Amino acid sequence: MAVEVKELLEAGVHFGHLTRKWDPNMAPYVYMERNGIHIINLYKTAAKMEEAGDALAKIAASGRKILFVATKKQAKDIVAEKAGGINMPFITERWPGGMLTNFVTIRKAIKKMATIDRMKKDGTFLTLSKKERLQVDRLRAKLEKNLGSIVDMTRLPAALFVVDIKREHIAIKEAQKLNIPIFAMVDTNSDPRQVDYVIPSNDDASKSIDKILTHVTEAITGGLNERKAEKADKSEGKSEAKAKKADKTEDKAEKPAKSEAKTAKAANEEE
């Protein structure tokens, strides 16, 4: 899907940080300086968005998960809405230390949520004292707040999509340790060398974040649809193969019956 530079301009994607706060490694993506602020080259942003979108679509088509990370205020709700809409896991509260590098422990915490839910269903919860029930409810609420959005993530994600790599530096380091590809919105105050797929853009304005995430999630949706179509084709192929096999079996069953009929006819003629 082509990215319109005009739309990026309207969303304010081109506004970088103050020139004194910039990271020199972002120089290839800076178009100019205006009133003490760096202006991002939107033609490069558009090209990088398409590149990232194609790569994310392939990951989605393979059936693997992409974890979205954005804990800053202006990005939280947008990420929760966009990632949740395509059934991808996301972290919008504080990044849980060891989320990737100690994933087994995180899975245990998620299972604890499931255990509490079972207790409430089978009545075990009601056998607890009032104080214990209150403690369990608080624990459940805390786990839901921090990990509720990754309940369906049963294994490590195939990629990370990050908004503001400076803020999410712990997530970046964990992904780097495990060689998990990192896709990110990178502003002029950050080092793009930490990211595999750089999208040079304003990571502070909600309009800019919304614009980039809309494109990214649409690309992922395309990959998911491709996977569904492939599955449907395979199931159709299997059904056709079964039907052909059934036809052959019927043909085989008919042949002995025909030969028996011929034998009986020949016997009658001899008589």
Side-chain angles (χ1 to χ4, degrees), residues 26-45:
M26 277 298 285
Y29 305 110
V30 173
Y31 176 64
M32 65 180 290
E33 177 195 329
R34 184 186 292 164
N35 299 328
I37 293 172
H38 275 129
I39 304 298
I40 295 164
N41 187 331
L42 292 181
Y43 287 98
K44 290 193 176 181
T45 301

Side-chain angles (χ1 to χ4, degrees), residues 78-261:
I78 298 166
V79 167
E81 181 195 337
K82 301 288 182 186
I86 54 171
N87 292 320
M88 286 293 168
F90 58 90
I91 295 289
T92 53
E93 296 302 323
R94 185 183 63 83
W95 175 262
M99 166 76 204
L100 300 176
T101 51
N102 196 10
F103 189 64
V104 175
T105 304
I106 297 295
R107 282 303 302 167
K108 282 179 184 175
I110 291 169
K111 283 178 183 175
K112 197 175 281 183
M113 286 169 62
T115 304
I116 294 169
D117 291 341
R118 273 199 305 275
M119 284 171 64
K120 289 188 175 183
K121 278 184 181 178
D122 62 21
T124 313
F125 183 72
L126 297 172
T127 62
L128 302 173
S129 67
K130 190 177 178 181
K131 187 180 179 182
E132 285 172 331
R133 287 203 300 269
L134 190 64
Q135 287 173 341
V136 170
D137 275 335
R138 280 176 183 164
L139 175 63
R140 176 68 178 79
K142 187 181 177 183
L143 289 169
E144 177 65 41
K145 184 181 178 183
N146 294 322
L147 305 172
S149 56
I150 59 164
V151 168
D152 298 327
M153 196 173 79
T154 54
R155 58 177 178 165
L156 284 169
L160 239 68
F161 187 93
V162 180
V163 177
D164 194 339
I165 62 173
K166 256 188 177 299
R167 187 183 177 95
E168 314 302 345
H169 63 279
I170 300 171
I172 297 289
K173 281 178 184 173
E174 288 192 28
Q176 286 170 340
K177 274 185 186 177
L178 299 170
N179 293 319
I180 295 172
I182 303 163
F183 296 74
M185 290 178 67
V186 183
D187 214 328
T188 56
N189 67 332
S190 305
D191 184 357
R193 295 175 301 174
Q194 297 180 49
V195 178
D196 299 286
Y197 291 85
V198 177
I199 301 177
S201 51
N202 176 355
D203 64 11
D204 291 312
S206 54
K207 274 188 179 180
S208 173
I209 296 165
D210 188 272
K211 191 71 201 168
I212 303 291
L213 279 166
T214 298
H215 175 80
V216 164
T217 50
E218 281 176 1
I220 293 170
T221 302
L224 294 171
N225 290 339
E226 191 183 313
R227 182 173 169 77
K228 279 181 188 175
E230 279 178 14
K231 278 188 174 180
D233 289 343
K234 279 182 184 176
S235 61
E236 272 181 33
K238 282 181 183 177
S239 301
E240 283 175 14
K242 279 183 183 177
K244 282 179 184 177
K245 196 176 180 182
D247 289 342
K248 282 180 183 177
T249 308
E250 281 177 19
D251 289 343
K252 282 179 184 177
E254 280 175 13
K255 279 177 184 177
K258 282 178 182 177
S259 62
E260 280 175 20

Side-chain angles (χ1 to χ4, degrees), residues 257-271:
K258 282 178 182 177
S259 62
E260 280 175 20
K262 280 181 183 178
T263 307
K265 190 179 180 183
N268 288 335
E269 283 173 359
E270 283 175 12
E271 288 173 8

